[in-house]
Amino acid sequence: MALNKDYAGRSFPATAPYEVSRVKIAEFADAIGDPNPLFRDRAAAQAAGYPDVIAPPTFPVVVAMAASGMVVRDPGLGLNYAMVVHGEQRFEYSRPLHAGDLVTAQSTISAIREVGSITMLTTETQIRTMDGEHVCTGISTLVERGEA
Amino acid sequence: MSGAGGAARYADVTAGATLPTVTYPVTRLSLIKYCGASGDFNVIHWNERVARSVGLPNVIAHGMLTMAQAGRYVTDWAGDAGALVEFGVRFSAPVVVPDDGTGATIEVTGTIEDKLDDNRVVLGLTARSGEEKVLTRARAVVRLP
């Protein structure tokens, strides 16, 4: 099913505040199999100049999930999630997320493109602290494959 | 630190240099852990029946789990896991993870593509799983000391 192209350019509300925790960072680092001490050891992170343990570079997807979820679950968009694969992902960082950050994520659909039997949905998600400091922008392209 | 080196310095980096290849394993357990840690429970990452019914060869890894291995490659090389300025990939083929007790591997290689101002270095990355190129247009910009 084709996506509703009227959704291109649509902005979604900012998420409720998300508190980045040491436990979640460690769980995520374990799940990706990365033993880096900066993700687990506060003293090591502070020795490297950070206020607390930092999050791996792809951790912002955890924070962005609630925001991008609003996009993919919007019934008016018409996305069939079982037919979705991740096409492209990009991050632009002002700094790494660290434990203790209180942030919010806000998504905008930047493009909906049809190429043959597939449809590409590009979403830009800004992650900022509650004070408005930019931490990271994630640009994600999801691909909805045609019917199998 | 393990992997592709550690503690790279801007002055010592040469454009055109190739970095060592590092191989990372991905198993069904990795996918289940990543589902839980990331909150992405799309059934194609854990249910073979559904994966096949939507035309996939088997359960496939989350693209973001593959990207995380490329990210680890970069941060292990840079020596500072907070050194990334930009990081982007295209997922060109899925990492297929069979239930055979072995799983799949992701092999990552990097090249120093360019040195920019402000101590920034551009890395071009390739990632393969078996014969398939699973990431293309993979590129990271890091700021080095």
Side-chain angles (χ1 to χ4, degrees):
Chain A
M1 190 177 73
L3 299 190
N4 182 354
K5 291 216 190 70
D6 292 346
Y7 271 59
R10 183 172 294 214
S11 283
F12 290 76
T15 61
Y18 178 95
E19 185 175 351
V20 179
S21 75
R22 265 188 267 168
V23 172
K24 190 66 190 178
I25 290 173
E27 180 195 6
F28 188 86
D30 284 346
I32 64 173
D34 191 332
N36 197 314
L38 296 186
F39 306 146
R40 296 174 177 81
D41 180 345
R42 190 183 210 172
Q46 288 177 339
Y50 299 107
D52 204 324
V53 292
I54 60 169
T58 58
F59 185 90
V61 288
V62 175
V63 181
M65 182 69 68
S68 53
M70 284 186 217
V71 178
V72 300
R73 284 195 300 271
D74 189 312
L77 178 62
L79 192 71
N80 178 2
Y81 203 52
M83 297 303 284
V84 166
V85 292
H86 204 160
E88 291 178 43
Q89 179 68 42
R90 193 153 59 84
F91 296 104
E92 297 166 359
Y93 307 93
S94 291
R95 63 166 175 81
L97 284 163
H98 60 74
D101 267 330
L102 194 61
V103 293
T104 180
Q106 188 267 316
S107 290
T108 302
I109 295 179
S110 37
I112 299 175
R113 284 170 293 155
E114 278 177 30
V115 182
S117 67
I118 67 168
T119 309
M120 296 196 281
L121 169 73
T122 303
T123 305
E124 182 175 310
T125 303
Q126 303 263 350
I127 297 175
R128 295 179 179 276
T129 66
M130 302 316 288
D131 300 329
E133 178 201 358
H134 177 264
V135 179
C136 175
T137 299
I139 301 111
S140 164
T141 300
L142 297 181
V143 177
E144 188 189 56
R145 301 175 303 126
E147 294 301 322
Chain B
M1 221 166 282
S2 64
R9 299 190 68 81
Y10 183 76
D12 301 333
V13 167
T14 312
T18 300
L19 309 179
T21 300
V22 181
T23 301
Y24 304 99
V26 179
T27 64
R28 285 288 181 89
L29 180 59
S30 319
L31 305 191
I32 290 162
K33 287 168 80 173
Y34 192 79
C35 282
S38 68
D40 181 349
F41 289 93
N42 192 330
V43 284
I44 60 174
H45 303 308
W46 55 270
N47 186 318
E48 187 168 335
R49 175 179 52 83
V50 174
R52 290 188 189 278
S53 78
V54 296
L56 295 169
N58 205 323
V59 162
I60 64 169
H62 303 72
M64 290 310 300
L65 179 58
T66 303
M67 187 176 189
Q69 307 312 309
R72 177 180 171 191
Y73 181 90
V74 173
T75 55
D76 278 353
W77 172 76
D80 177 357
L84 276 158
V85 180
E86 285 175 44
F87 183 26
V89 303
R90 172 182 277 189
F91 303 104
S92 47
V95 173
V96 179
V97 184
D99 178 24
D100 61 359
T102 307
T105 56
I106 299 170
E107 256 181 44
V108 185
T109 306
T111 306
I112 312 291
E113 282 190 350
D114 204 359
K115 290 179 79 172
L116 308 176
D117 60 359
D118 203 16
N119 276 31
R120 289 171 305 149
V121 172
V122 182
L123 289 188
L125 304 163
T126 61
R128 288 178 180 279
S129 185
E131 299 302 306
E132 292 283 355
K133 250 192 173 178
V134 293
L135 298 181
T136 53
R137 292 199 197 170
R139 190 171 169 275
V141 180
V142 291
R143 186 172 283 117
L144 298 180

